[in-house]
Amino acid sequence: MSNYQHFQLQQIAGTLGAEVSGVDLSTQLSDDVIAEIRKALLDHLVLFFRDQNLTPDSQIAFARRFGDLDQHDFVKGLPDHPKVIRVLREADETTMNFGGTWHCDVTHQECPAMGSVLYGVDVPPYGGDTLFANQYIAYETLSAGMQQLLDGLTAVHSARGPFSPTGRAASYWKNMQVTPSEKAYEEVEHPAVRTHPETGRKLLFVNRTFTVRFKDMTERESAPLLQYLFEHASQEQFTCRFRWTKGAVAFWDNRAVLHHALGDYSGHRREMLRVAISGDRPY
Ligand code: SIN
């Protein structure tokens, strides 16, 4: 157990992830506590807070201490809180859950989210854990030759896989407010290796959901290397796994981790509320 000044923190895995206790996120936290949470986030990449009691307003108020909030391009938010999206799979749904592949949030945007705050409203009695993977380590464990190759590559990202009219949203996520659209075919470019704007460390920045190819290459040419990187990036020793309980919160650094929500809870309902904090343009 590491002792921070304002809370206790227990690391849950070897390369990322820590549970924080002694903080009530529904209250107006002091600047000192927020600064220490930010430091813990940079050190551990994803923080978990159990037994919280958040309303959409207090979830927004906590996230806003770290920046402005994003509005999702394709998922409509709550009627009174358009920046809070409901991540929901009902007990009778059998299709893949939202977030059910390794990804970073919204890298189809020019400025993908800096972080996301996810709150467990209704959690299944088993299953539905979320996995996270450390992308600094993913980069650092590549050979020098592969690092050099990737340092010079630009990756193309698009939301067409999940959110185009023929994408997954068209047949999955029936109980979420998702609107597939032609906008999902738009492409943005990000460096395949980005430098974290706060730590200055390099990290691997491609993901299965949104990265479709490398710039100046075809999809077919890009696929073998991307496939290798997707597998490399999510290997077990780079990950941690969070078992949700009602009222738990996960706050991840979306610039430095991949995450994957498991869909192994058929017959049970899982409902989460998510807000995304605006990020910078990757470089
Ligand atoms: C997401 O990808 O943002 C959802 C993660 C989850 O439901 O655990």
Side-chain angles (χ1 to χ4, degrees), residues 65-91:
R65 302 294 296 280
F66 299 88
D68 291 334
L69 302 188
D70 271 358
Q71 181 134 359
H72 202 286
D73 286 329
F74 307 101
V75 184
K76 206 165 154 215
L78 303 182
D80 295 333
H81 300 88
K83 294 186 177 172
V84 180
I85 66 168
R86 176 174 276 128
V87 176
L88 170 65
R89 194 174 78 179
E90 291 288 1

Side-chain angles (χ1 to χ4, degrees), residues 3-249:
N3 274 311
Y4 282 67
Q5 203 183 328
H6 297 284
F7 46 75
Q8 291 76 50
L9 180 145
Q10 176 75 58
Q11 207 171 317
I12 68 161
T15 63
L16 81 167
E19 276 202 41
V20 173
S21 52
V23 185
D24 179 351
L25 302 182
S26 70
T27 60
Q28 171 72 20
L29 297 169
S30 71
D31 290 347
D32 288 350
V33 176
I34 293 294
E36 204 168 49
I37 291 174
R38 184 182 273 275
K39 181 185 177 315
L41 183 70
L42 295 178
D43 290 345
H44 297 281
L45 312 189
V46 52
L47 302 178
F48 306 106
F49 304 81
R50 293 212 185 261
D51 301 321
Q52 301 293 319
N53 190 6
L54 297 183
T55 60
D57 282 323
S58 55
Q59 185 175 358
I60 288 171
F62 171 67
R64 281 283 290 112
R65 302 294 296 280
F66 299 88
D68 291 334
L69 302 188
D70 271 358
Q71 181 134 359
H72 202 286
D73 286 329
F74 307 101
V75 184
K76 206 165 154 215
L78 303 182
D80 295 333
H81 300 88
K83 294 186 177 172
V84 180
I85 66 168
R86 176 174 276 128
V87 176
L88 170 65
R89 194 174 78 179
E90 291 288 1
D92 61 356
E93 286 183 81
T94 52
T95 48
M96 191 185 102
N97 55 307
F98 188 84
T101 52
W102 280 107
H103 67 288
C104 286
D105 289 334
V106 296
T107 62
H108 69 281
Q109 296 179 179
E110 286 196 356
C111 297
M114 162 267 175
S116 297
V117 177
L118 187 69
Y119 176 57
V121 176
D122 194 6
V123 303
Y126 54 81
D129 297 358
T130 307
L131 312 180
F132 297 86
N134 180 331
Q135 297 307 287
Y136 293 122
I137 305 278
Y139 177 72
E140 288 160 7
T141 51
L142 292 167
S143 65
M146 180 60 88
Q147 288 180 350
Q148 206 175 3
L149 171 71
L150 293 173
D151 282 345
L153 289 182
T154 298
V156 177
H157 295 235
S158 152
R160 66 181 187 233
F163 299 118
S164 70
T166 54
R168 292 195 280 286
S171 47
Y172 300 178
W173 315 326
K174 292 293 182 206
N175 290 295
M176 288 182 57
Q177 300 289 314
V178 184
T179 311
S181 128
E182 298 286 329
K183 181 178 166 52
Y185 293 113
E186 289 174 9
E187 295 187 338
V188 304
E189 295 175 1
H190 298 306
V193 175
R194 81 179 282 190
T195 302
H196 193 288
E198 292 187 77
T199 65
R201 287 174 69 188
K202 285 182 172 184
L203 60 103
L204 186 61
F205 197 61
V206 293
N207 72 84
R208 267 182 206 280
T209 298
F210 297 111
T211 312
V212 291
R213 62 188 161 78
F214 293 107
K215 187 181 177 187
D216 301 327
M217 292 189 204
T218 65
E219 283 184 30
R220 202 163 158 216
E221 287 166 343
S222 307
L225 179 53
L226 280 178
Q227 190 57 35
Y228 169 76
L229 293 173
F230 296 155
E231 282 167 20
H232 171 79
S234 58
Q235 54 189 282
E236 286 165 15
Q237 65 267 31
F238 305 160
T239 69
C240 71
R241 176 172 183 149
F242 186 60
R243 168 81 201 118
W244 285 94
T245 45
K246 187 177 166 61
V249 169

